[in-house]
């Protein structure tokens, strides 16, 4: 039986035929330069374009890459949950399909995962000191994001500046425990994951600055998805108060 890799990278993909190939090529090049084992799990979230075809063609002769196909579109959070729970890496990273945070940024996380004060979870942040944004979001998206972050701190979870950056690293133990309890399938899942990590399981979480570039066109629909995220925040709060995470 093959040994488990040090790192599993989970990439959720929904209708990413136009953007997924450069991402996979960059990750493959990264793998070739590392001295530790890495595998990649692409979770196709019910795509209706040629995402699956592009990924399958790329994976030929590349055993480090694996594709999981979901029959219907269930949401980014649900796709990442599937990948996290199927992964076998000692550490498990999820990254957005557009690779807004370069995959090389994970190297900054290793020192935070080691030593006497090691973290169980490290989350990339675009707003802590040291973060470097190469291309900013449109101002209306930045304002919406800051309002959501404020509501997160007021209603659910304090102590984090940027909960929504799509670049987060977990130990295997943390990933198994947290994602087995995750219920939010959409974009609001990040808050639920961090709330479970901190409040339910007591895992140590560190927020680390990353390089980030806004990828356009975005898959996030400002009004529609913002409403869903606010509703997700409300559901998380209700679930916590009702004790659903203790079941």
């Amino acid at each position: 039986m093959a040994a488990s890799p040090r790192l599993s990278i989970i990439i959720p993909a929904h209708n990413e035929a136009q953007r997924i190939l450069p991402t996979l090529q960059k990750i493959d090049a990264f793998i070739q330069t590392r001295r530790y084992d890495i595998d990649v799990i692409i979770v196709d979230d019910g795509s209706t374009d040629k995402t699956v075809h592009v990924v399958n063609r790329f994976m030929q002769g590349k055993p480090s890459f694996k594709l999981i196909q979901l029959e219907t579109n269930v949401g980014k959070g649900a796709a990442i949950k599937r990948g996290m729970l199927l992964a076998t890496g000692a550490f498990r990273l999820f990254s957005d399909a557009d690779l807004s945070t370069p995959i090389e940024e994970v190297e900054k996380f290793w020192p935070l995962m080691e030593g006497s004060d090691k973290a169980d979870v490290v989350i990339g942040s675009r707003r802590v000191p040291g973060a470097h944004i190469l291309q900013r979001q449109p101002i209306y998206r930045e304002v919406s994001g800051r309002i959501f972050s404020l509501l997160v701190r007021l209603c659910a979870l304090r102590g984090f500046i940027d909960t929504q950056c799509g670049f987060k690293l977990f130990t295997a133990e943390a990933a198994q425990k947290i994602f087995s309890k995750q219920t939010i399938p959409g974009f609001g899942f990040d808050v639920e994951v961090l709330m479970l990590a901190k409040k339910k399981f007591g895992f140590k979480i560190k927020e680390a600055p990353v390089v980030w570039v806004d990828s356009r066109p975005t898959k996030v629909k400002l009004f529609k998805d913002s409403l869903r995220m606010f509703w997700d925040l409300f559901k998380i709060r209700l679930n916590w108060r009702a004790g659903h995470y203790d079941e």
Side-chain angles (χ1 to χ4, degrees), residues 167-209:
F167 200 79
K168 295 179 173 68
L169 180 66
F170 303 77
T171 64
E173 178 189 6
Q176 287 294 143
K177 289 184 176 180
I178 294 166
F179 287 92
S180 66
K181 291 289 186 180
Q182 177 201 335
T183 66
I184 301 296
F187 289 113
F189 83 99
D190 295 83
V191 176
E192 183 181 39
V193 162
L194 294 176
M195 192 168 181
L196 286 167
K198 183 177 182 179
K199 292 189 174 183
K200 179 170 177 59
F201 296 110
F203 287 126
K204 181 180 288 293
I205 308 170
K206 294 184 180 180
E207 197 168 4

Side-chain angles (χ1 to χ4, degrees), residues 44-206:
D44 177 70
D45 187 17
S47 294
T48 55
D49 66 356
K50 294 185 177 181
T51 297
V52 170
H53 172 73
V54 172
V55 172
N56 276 326
R57 186 170 58 182
F58 172 82
M59 290 196 311
Q60 293 179 11
K62 294 181 173 63
S64 296
F65 290 78
K66 178 180 180 180
L67 173 65
I68 297 170
Q69 289 181 251
L70 306 182
E71 292 185 1
T72 59
N73 176 225
V74 292
K76 178 183 177 182
I80 289 175
K81 175 178 180 175
R82 179 71 67 88
M84 279 284 178
L85 295 179
L86 289 175
T88 59
F91 298 91
R92 302 172 191 182
L93 173 81
F94 74 75
S95 175
D96 288 340
D98 58 16
L99 219 58
S100 290
T101 298
I103 193 63
E104 292 82 4
E105 292 295 285
V106 73
E107 294 295 331
K108 297 178 180 178
F109 289 6
W110 296 128
L112 303 177
M113 287 284 194
E114 300 164 348
S116 58
D117 190 39
K118 62 183 179 181
D120 303 290
V121 181
V122 178
I123 65 174
S125 176
R126 299 160 291 187
R127 293 172 55 195
V128 297
H132 185 36
I133 299 179
L134 300 180
Q135 180 174 322
R136 306 193 72 89
Q137 296 174 308
I139 187 63
Y140 59 86
R141 287 186 59 200
E142 283 201 15
V143 170
S144 176
R146 289 178 183 270
I147 291 173
F148 183 76
S149 295
L150 176 61
L151 289 175
V152 168
R153 292 193 292 273
L154 290 174
C155 301
L157 188 66
R158 296 182 179 180
F160 303 105
I161 299 176
D162 183 6
T163 61
Q164 301 309 117
C165 180
F167 200 79
K168 295 179 173 68
L169 180 66
F170 303 77
T171 64
E173 178 189 6
Q176 287 294 143
K177 289 184 176 180
I178 294 166
F179 287 92
S180 66
K181 291 289 186 180
Q182 177 201 335
T183 66
I184 301 296
F187 289 113
F189 83 99
D190 295 83
V191 176
E192 183 181 39
V193 162
L194 294 176
M195 192 168 181
L196 286 167
K198 183 177 182 179
K199 292 189 174 183
K200 179 170 177 59
F201 296 110
F203 287 126
K204 181 180 288 293
I205 308 170
K206 294 184 180 180

Side-chain angles (χ1 to χ4, degrees), residues 211-240:
V211 172
W212 191 83
V213 56
D214 184 41
S215 178
R216 303 178 188 178
T218 178
K219 293 298 183 72
V220 179
K221 300 176 178 61
L222 181 64
F223 182 74
K224 183 179 180 180
D225 289 325
S226 292
L227 287 179
R228 287 179 176 174
M229 288 172 69
F230 293 140
W231 174 241
D232 286 345
L233 192 58
F234 180 67
K235 287 194 294 184
I236 293 166
R237 187 178 176 89
L238 285 180
N239 287 343
W240 185 265

Side-chain angles (χ1 to χ4, degrees), residues 11-64:
I11 307 290
H14 175 64
N15 291 342
E16 293 286 359
Q18 299 301 315
R19 301 194 296 186
I20 195 70
L21 181 58
T23 290
L24 298 180
Q25 291 171 334
K26 290 174 183 176
I27 293 175
D28 188 38
F30 174 75
I31 291 174
Q32 304 308 317
T33 63
R34 299 305 99 180
R35 293 186 177 181
Y36 53 87
D37 290 335
I38 302 172
D39 68 1
V40 183
I41 300 174
I42 304 104
V43 185
D44 177 70
D45 187 17
S47 294
T48 55
D49 66 356
K50 294 185 177 181
T51 297
V52 170
H53 172 73
V54 172
V55 172
N56 276 326
R57 186 170 58 182
F58 172 82
M59 290 196 311
Q60 293 179 11
K62 294 181 173 63
S64 296

